[in-house]
Every structure is written in C-alpha cells, then in structure tokens.
Amino acid sequence: MNKWIISRRAAVKSLAVGLAAPWVTPSKAFAASSCDDHIVRLGAVLSPDTANPFATWQSWWPLFIIYDWLVGPDALRHPERKASFAREWSVADDNLTWTFKIRPRMKWSDGQPATAKDAAFTYNYVRSSMGTPNELNIGWNNTDGFEQFESITALDDETLQIVTKSPTRLPVYKNVLIVPEHIWKDISYADARGTFRNDPPVVGTGPMILSELKQGQFCRLTPNPYFRGDGQPATAGIIIQLFATADPIAQGLKSGGLDYGMNLTAAQWEDLSKDRDIKIGQSRVEQRDYLAFNTTSGEGAGSTKALQDPAFRDAIGYAIDQKAIVDRAYRGHAEPGVGLAMPIAADYYSDLGDIRRRFDLAEAGRRLDAAGYRDTNGDGVRVDKEGKGFQLELITGAHSGNLEIPTAAVQLITGWLGKIGIRVSVTQLDAGALEARTAAPADGGGGWDLIVGNTWLTTAPRDILSLGSSKLIGSTNASYWTNDKFDALLSEVDVTVDLKKSQELVDQAVRLIYTEAPYIILSYPTLLEAHRTDCFEGWGEQDMVSQGSYFPFDRLRPL
C-alpha cells in the first residue's frame, strides 16, 4: 500500500531536511539532543492507523511495543528475551490441556495487576465473538483458529489453562496480544472492530506506553514505570517517525536525526555501511513477495475467465524468472521464491525440486497455446479461449510495515508477460485504495486481475498456509482461491502435534497450491536495517530490532 502522490513525497522529503516539525529534524544538533535526552528515534515505512489490536493489521508498531503476546514468535525463537506474557508453558499427556504460567507480579502501565485473568478475558473476548455479526476477524487479535479451543480458564492469577478439542499446537502458535480486562470489558464487538480507537495513553504491559499517535507523522512512546516489576526501561522514550519511502530514513541515519531505521533499499544500505558511526545489518524474515491471480468466478471476478484456469496460471509461472528478480530488483538482498514456506521456516521449507518451474519463455508460450490462449492473427497478442482479446490490470503497493517491493520487480514481470503476448497495465495504489480493492468480494473488493503484493506472518504451519485458506479470503488469502482438499489439509495441520506428520501435511498443501498456481512466489526478501552507535547500546546482534516483539527497547541503554 505504497502509492504517494508527488506532493506527499515532497512533504516527506521536506520533513527529512528539517523544514517541518522538530521531531523529524535530523540535524547534528538534533543528534546531540537525541543522545542528551535519551529518547530513541526510529524511522520506518509504516502507516499505523489505530492502537486497537482487534481492528488493524497495519499498526504492528506501536502495538508490539506496548503489548505482550501470550507467547509470540520471539518467545519461541529467542526465549532468553522474555518477551511474552507467559513465562513457560506445557501440554498434558492428553495433548489437549495446555498450561501457561504467567509472569508473576506483572502490572499494567496504569498500575493495576496484570494476571492470567486478563489473558483468559482476551481469549474469551475473541472466541465469544465467533458467529456474531461483528465477529473479531479483521486485526491481529482475530478468531482464526479459535474454533479449535474448547475452553480458556484462569485457574489462578499466574495460571492460564487452554483446552483444545483435538491435539494441536495452536495454543502456542496463535498470536494474540493480551489486553487489560478493566479497559476492554465494556467495549462492544461492533466498537472493537470499528470505532473504538484505543486512544493514548494506551494501557499495556510492554516497556513503553503509547502517549501520542499522529497518523502519517509519528508515534510517541513513554516508559512504562511498571514494566516487569523491575522499574521502567533505561531510555526516556521512543519516537517512531513514519515515512512513505526509505529516502528520509537513510538521510536521518546519516545526519543523526534517527537512531535506527529499517525498510532500507540496497543502495541506501550499502551507502550507510561506509559511515563509521553506523552499523548495518540484514536478516531473513517471514515476508513472502508474490504475484497473485484473481481466481474468483463470481462477484469481484477479474476481467477474463483465464485467471480462473490453473493451466493459464501455471503457464505464466514459466515466464517469471525469480533469480533475475532477486539479482536485478533486490540487488541480491532476497532469496528466489518457490513455495509458500519461506527459508526461515526451516522445518517446513522445500525447494520443490521435482515440480519446480524453470524460467523458459518458449515453454510458457507452448503451454498457453496448449491451454487455448493463442495469438490468432500474428500481432503478438494472445486472446482467450473464446477468441476475445484481454489486457490484465496489475495492482500493487506495499502493506504497512512490510518491506517494499522494488518497482523493478513489477517492470520485469510486465516485460516478460508482454514477450509471451499477455498485455498488462499497472496501477500503483495507496494504502486505503489497495486495502479496499483487495478486500473480500462480499465486502466490496475485487475487480482486479493481478497483484504484486506480500505478506508477513510467522513460521507457524497455519500462517505458512494462510495464503490458501478459504476462511481468510480478503485477508491473507489475496487470490480469493478456494480448494476443499487444501482446506482439509490445513484443518488436519491444525490438529497435528507431531512435527514429522505436520511437515508431511504442510508439504502436501504447499505442492497442491503450487500446482494450482493462484500465486507465483517471487522472493523471500531480507530486512535491511541500520542503527547509529553513538547514543545507545543494547541493540540485537542476530537482528538489531525484533520484528515480532519489543526487543531491544526493553533493554537499550544510553551511552
């Protein structure tokens, strides 16, 4: 969702050179002030719209800094960071009864006790909305997977019990941000998924309190004095500066106006590596960049029935050179896309070597001919099976907080499709327009043909396969594709605890959707980030800043 009109770009660049509000003025004097006032200044291509975790996917910052997951991806991958509401968890011999021990003596940022009762309230609040007209299914805290839960109970202040209907690892994989019962108990479901913005100061258990949110400008956070019962963090707060492009982020890092920046381009990252006061980093993340086809045949369908034909989509797959996209568009800072499982999901990743398509424009043309999409008059343009000409509309834009897809990737794709006789027009959309057009057809979305987009979830099996889930059409399932066998495999994955069995099921599902080709996975990009070394210490080594929790903002220290 990343179309910004010229005036918007000019405004953002004006901010970066100090022509607007003082919180974004990256002068040397401001850099000294940053060290002196101990406020950490972050820059990101991000557009948070609300602090309500039931109503947004866009606001991962600041939400991940002000709330705790019950478990969350960081607690599974980096337990030493202690970035979760629960400190430990286990499952009984029946593989149904899960026990979560909550961190003792926790408090909410308003001083009230934070206990297992708040966790039980949050989960039951989501679960009880299922099947209602205002089901909570549009944000981070959503009902997906809750059908597997039989009961959620706080046994005491430090013990949460979740009983599932059948064996499943969903209790640890399901990511839900724990909210305070005393704030949310009187909020209706209609308001929770609609008008309730959860305005600052936001009460949470994370190291910071959201004290101000100016859409399109900044988020201001102040230390939580009750964080973990150990006192507030050593820094004096955080300002997240929100930008439309990475240009002002790179400029702010160089000038000292920012302490940390992500969403950097390869050229910016390489340039920053030459500055002795800046440390650069790159890491694998869970993002998948894809070309999606509008596969629906009813309301919201695309401009041609060819999009509903797996043979047409498969043929297009031979016209996409993922290695060239990585080398030329990402300048090597990505891995070539294959299947739904990304390389960071080591337990589930496969290169699908036995069925993997290889870039071959001639083969793509042969397959299109065989499927009935031919150039009937020698003008270099193909027609559909009924002899009608068509031109596909490709829409694109970056999802808030996700890594930007280089324009060169879109240019390469449209160029290759043109060479095999498929005409394509490109529409670059801003955040709101892209969200509206990719919503479920029942909610007014659709009418497009192709999307170059991306998704960033977790390495949990359910999240890996979410692009094909019929329950997530208009959300993570951008292609509107449905397949009963795929849904059955996903349902079986949900009730499988054994890793080997889970791997087999995921592999079957990944192969099925690869063959049906509602998506062509383009790449698995790496996160390019950088931080200054002159004001704070305590940044991460493997990843400077977690993309799944508040690390390292709970432990940064002024120099």
Side-chain angles (χ1 to χ4, degrees):
M1 309 181 205
N2 200 26
K3 179 186 176 183
W4 296 79
I5 58 176
I6 297 301
S7 60
R8 176 68 173 182
R9 292 185 183 274
V12 170
K13 292 184 178 180
S14 295
L15 294 177
V17 296
L19 298 180
W23 57 78
V24 292
T25 305
S27 66
K28 286 296 182 182
F30 187 71
S33 174
S34 182
C35 292
D36 293 341
D37 66 17
H38 301 165
I39 294 175
V40 185
R41 289 163 170 85
L42 316 176
V45 177
L46 189 65
S47 55
D49 53 352
T50 177
N52 177 353
F54 300 93
T56 183
W57 290 101
Q58 295 182 202
S59 303
W60 66 273
W61 270 2
L63 289 179
F64 292 7
I65 301 176
I66 59 180
Y67 288 119
D68 274 294
W69 306 107
L70 178 63
V71 177
D74 247 27
L76 294 172
R77 196 176 302 159
H78 301 287
E80 73 281 359
R81 294 178 178 175
K82 301 179 182 179
S84 58
F85 203 80
R87 58 183 171 86
E88 60 184 53
W89 46 90
S90 60
V91 62
D93 291 341
D94 62 3
N95 281 329
L96 301 175
T97 305
W98 290 80
T99 301
F100 296 83
K101 299 304 290 185
I102 305 306
R103 299 187 187 280
R105 299 180 300 281
M106 278 203 304
K107 290 185 178 181
W108 294 103
S109 55
D110 62 0
Q112 296 220 28
T115 71
K117 294 175 184 177
D118 293 290
F121 164 78
T122 304
Y123 273 67
N124 283 315
Y125 184 72
V126 175
R127 181 169 174 260
S128 297
S129 77
M130 295 177 65
T132 70
N134 293 297
E135 182 170 344
L136 300 175
N137 56 9
I138 60 171
W140 285 103
N141 286 5
N142 63 77
T143 56
D144 185 43
F146 268 78
E147 69 277 2
Q148 301 292 336
F149 294 162
E150 182 67 37
S151 65
I152 302 133
T153 309
L155 302 182
D156 55 50
D157 282 355
E158 295 183 16
T159 309
L160 176 73
Q161 182 186 82
I162 297 179
V163 180
T164 62
K165 297 177 180 178
S166 53
T168 174
R169 292 192 62 81
L170 267 176
V172 293
Y173 282 145
K174 179 63 181 175
N175 294 321
V176 176
L177 294 164
I178 306 303
V179 300
E181 180 178 8
H182 64 280
I183 299 293
W184 285 86
K185 63 182 180 180
D186 296 323
I187 306 300
S188 70
Y189 292 141
D191 288 342
R193 60 170 286 149
T195 58
F196 183 66
R197 293 183 52 81
N198 199 23
D199 289 328
V202 175
V203 176
T205 52
M208 296 287 165
I209 302 167
L210 179 65
S211 57
E212 191 175 7
L213 192 165
K214 293 287 188 182
Q215 274 189 260
Q217 297 182 43
F218 68 94
C219 302
R220 189 185 300 274
L221 299 100
T222 53
N224 176 2
Y226 299 104
F227 178 65
R228 292 292 186 269
D230 299 325
Q232 66 186 41
T235 62
I238 296 172
I239 297 176
I240 307 170
Q241 297 171 19
L242 311 173
F243 298 108
T245 73
D247 293 342
I249 297 174
Q251 294 164 11
L253 283 165
K254 293 182 74 172
S255 68
L258 294 174
D259 299 298
Y260 169 84
M262 61 180 182
N263 307 107
L264 299 168
T265 67
Q268 292 163 349
W269 187 79
E270 291 161 8
D271 181 55
L272 291 170
S273 70
K274 302 169 186 175
D275 191 317
R276 65 181 183 179
D277 291 325
I278 294 175
K279 183 175 181 180
I280 60 170
Q282 68 173 321
S283 56
R284 281 178 167 174
V285 293
E286 294 86 349
Q287 182 167 313
R288 293 163 288 180
D289 296 347
Y290 55 72
L291 172 69
F293 299 82
N294 181 343
T295 66
T296 192
S297 59
E299 184 182 10
S303 64
T304 172
K305 293 181 180 178
L307 299 165
Q308 303 159 29
D309 185 354
F312 177 81
R313 303 192 300 258
D314 174 67
I316 297 297
Y318 284 89
I320 306 298
D321 187 346
Q322 282 93 339
K323 186 177 185 305
I325 289 174
V326 167
D327 292 342
R328 295 163 61 182
Y330 294 86
R331 297 176 62 166
H333 296 289
E335 296 172 80
V338 188
L340 292 189
M342 62 294 272
I344 197 174
D347 287 336
Y348 297 99
Y349 175 74
S350 169
D351 68 1
L352 303 179
D354 56 325
I355 62 171
R356 186 173 180 174
R357 305 179 192 92
R358 308 295 174 180
F359 177 64
D360 187 335
L361 291 176
E363 178 65 17
R366 286 191 291 269
R367 287 175 178 260
L368 286 170
D369 286 342
Y373 305 97
R374 302 174 181 274
D375 174 6
T376 56
N377 60 8
D379 65 354
V381 178
R382 295 179 183 273
V383 297
D384 65 16
K385 291 182 178 181
E386 299 172 352
K388 299 177 182 177
F390 61 91
Q391 176 173 301
L392 303 181
E393 181 197 21
L394 186 156
I395 63 175
T396 189
H399 293 277
S400 174
N402 288 6
L403 305 181
E404 186 174 355
I405 300 171
T407 301
V410 177
Q411 293 170 339
L412 287 169
I413 291 167
T414 57
W416 289 321
L417 295 188
K419 289 181 178 179
I420 59 171
I422 305 294
R423 296 180 299 168
V424 179
S425 64
V426 177
T427 303
Q428 187 85 12
L429 298 173
D430 64 21
L434 185 59
E435 183 176 359
R437 293 203 64 185
T438 57
D443 296 325
W448 49 270
D449 298 319
L450 305 172
I451 295 175
V452 170
N454 52 38
T455 184
W456 186 336
L457 294 172
T458 76
T459 57
R462 186 180 189 86
D463 281 349
I464 291 171
L465 301 179
S466 64
L467 269 72
S469 170
S470 63
K471 296 179 181 179
L472 296 175
I473 286 175
S475 176
T476 51
N477 183 348
S479 70
Y480 307 155
W481 180 74
T482 61
N483 182 283
D484 290 343
K485 184 177 180 180
F486 185 93
D487 281 343
L489 288 167
L490 179 53
S491 295
E492 193 171 353
V493 168
D494 281 346
V495 296
T496 299
V497 175
D498 179 71
L499 176 60
K500 184 177 179 180
K501 178 63 174 176
S502 177
Q503 290 170 325
E504 292 171 353
L505 293 169
V506 169
D507 186 64
Q508 290 179 48
V510 167
R511 289 171 176 271
L512 171 60
I513 197 170
Y514 186 88
T515 303
E516 289 282 313
Y519 302 90
I520 306 298
I521 304 298
L522 303 175
S523 68
Y524 314 107
T526 54
L527 173 68
L528 301 182
E529 56 185 343
H531 71 78
R532 293 191 64 85
T533 59
D534 50 0
C535 290
F536 302 97
E537 62 180 0
W539 302 97
E541 293 296 330
Q542 183 176 348
D543 46 356
M544 294 176 177
V545 170
S546 171
Q547 305 302 304
S549 78
Y550 43 70
F551 173 86
F553 305 123
D554 57 335
R555 62 199 69 191
L556 284 183
R557 299 172 300 277
L559 288 170

